[in-house]
Structure formats: structure tokens, C-alpha cells
Amino acid sequence: MTFALAGPVLEGALVRLEPLGHRHAAELAVAAEEDRGTYGFTWVPRGDEVGSYIDAQLARAATGQLAPYAQVSVATGRAVGATSYWDPRCWRTDDQLDAVEVGFTWLGASAQGTGVNAEAKLLLFGHAFEKWGVSRVDLKTDARNSRSRAAMERAGARFEGVLRNWSRSWAPGEEGRLRDSAMFSITAEEWPECRGRLEERVAGFLTRAV
């Protein structure tokens, strides 16, 4: 496979997705240390781990298998979380991307419920379908993570099932154990309807912000 992920800056009204770099470290450290009560099944670095977290993401990016982003609030200009494209798959030709996953996503508590996540998904999905021409976008989470599963469904993704013992567990106290992963996807045929729903959600957040 010759396709290497390289995500451009993606700009919205609520969030700007910037390729992740160490310039974001100080602000991400602050965001990561806000109320961590929603991170039960998601690994989010502690403030003092953000530097090594960025190093690890950039190392993955160097392989062409990951394109990591900082989620930057347009209102404040501060980095409030992270997300990524990853796991590119080219099934038909070596340079035509057929599928990609959106993952490694987290937001500081103060950015949750503000529309940042909805617009970030709108930007990421839109670029994948409309610029790269993918046939599907995947999302997955710990099968027990009802909050994350609900967010994926609100973003328009369809639940495909649970893959048992699919990946490492990030839940506290479960080091060395495997988790069941709930799998979701959006296909190219579903994208226009999904885009409309996400645009409506973002518009609602913008209206409330006025």
C-alpha cells in the first residue's frame, strides 16, 4: 500500500483541526487535567504525559498509518482535545483509499457538549468521503462505553456489532486485559444523510452560542 495518511488543517465555525504537534502540548495538558470523570473506558494522557503522548502519535504518523490532530476551539484559540485518522485501507488499488477509521478522540471536560465533537466529525468525515473518496469510515469503542456509543450514533454512524477480545483495554485496573469493541461505520451511500444531520446539529450549537 502506497497511500500515506496526511491530514490537512480542517476549519469549522466551532473547531479547527490542526495537525498535532508539540506546540499544542501545554494547552492539551490543561485540557487533560479537567474533570476526568468521563474517561473510564478511554485512555487520555495525564498532563505530565502529554509530551510523550505527542511523541507516540507523531511516531505513528511517520509510518503513514495515522494522521493525528489537535482539536482547537475557535472561540478561545486553545487546544481542547485530540483526534485522528488512522488504519487506512486500500483494497482496490495501492493509491486509492477505500476505508479509514476516525479514533484516538478525546476532549477536555469544558469542551464536551459544546458542538466541538459534532463539527470535528463533520469535518473529518467530509474530508474522507469528499476529498479522499473513501467507501466507509469506521469508529469503534469499548463495548461498555455507553457514552461513546451514543455519541457515535448521534454522529450518524451505524452499529455493526461487537468484536470480542478485539483490543487492549484502557479501563482503570484492567492492564493486560482485552476488551470487546463495539464497531460503527458510515458508508459513502449514507454520507449525504449523515452530513445533513451533522450540519443541523452544528447549526443548533451555533444558534445557542449567539
Side-chain angles (χ1 to χ4, degrees):
M1 185 182 73
T2 60
F3 191 95
L5 287 177
V9 173
L10 300 175
E11 185 93 31
L14 296 170
V15 65
R16 182 173 63 257
L17 300 179
E18 300 178 356
L20 181 68
H22 281 284
R23 67 190 183 281
H24 301 112
E27 292 170 358
L28 288 178
V30 172
E33 286 300 328
E34 294 177 358
D35 182 358
R36 295 176 61 89
T38 62
Y39 300 153
F41 298 107
T42 302
W43 186 78
V44 176
R46 302 298 313 216
D48 60 2
E49 298 172 328
V50 166
S52 58
Y53 163 80
I54 293 175
D55 285 339
Q57 293 297 74
L58 294 180
R60 293 184 180 101
T63 70
Q65 298 297 294
L66 182 106
Y69 282 102
Q71 301 194 64
V72 177
S73 166
V74 171
T76 67
R78 297 179 65 84
V80 294
T83 191
S84 296
Y85 288 119
W86 78 299
D87 191 20
R89 279 147 287 154
C90 301
W91 294 315
R92 292 172 291 185
T93 67
D94 285 345
D95 58 0
Q96 169 60 46
L97 187 62
D98 289 305
V100 70
E101 183 167 335
V102 170
F104 289 98
T105 300
W106 62 272
L107 281 173
S110 63
Q112 296 174 21
T114 65
V116 165
N117 182 63
E119 190 173 47
K121 293 299 190 292
L122 176 62
L123 294 169
L124 291 164
F125 297 165
H127 186 79
F129 285 115
E130 297 164 18
K131 301 299 182 182
W132 286 336
V134 301
S135 295
R136 64 176 277 144
V137 171
D138 321 330
L139 305 98
K140 69 174 181 285
T141 188
D142 190 305
R144 299 166 295 180
N145 193 340
S146 58
R147 182 186 180 94
S148 180
R149 291 176 66 159
M152 291 175 181
E153 290 175 347
R154 286 196 301 273
R158 294 194 181 185
F159 175 59
E160 293 186 322
V162 173
L163 297 180
R164 297 176 298 166
N165 289 346
W166 180 250
S167 62
R168 173 182 177 180
S169 174
W170 296 107
E174 294 188 357
E175 292 77 7
R177 292 176 57 183
L178 297 175
R179 76 175 196 189
D180 296 346
S181 291
M183 309 297 292
F184 292 78
S185 72
I186 301 164
T187 66
E189 294 77 15
E190 295 163 349
W191 170 236
E193 180 181 353
C194 175
R195 179 180 58 204
R197 291 174 58 185
L198 282 170
E199 288 172 342
E200 287 181 5
R201 289 193 63 218
V202 172
F205 282 108
L206 288 170
T207 298
R208 291 196 289 274
V210 173

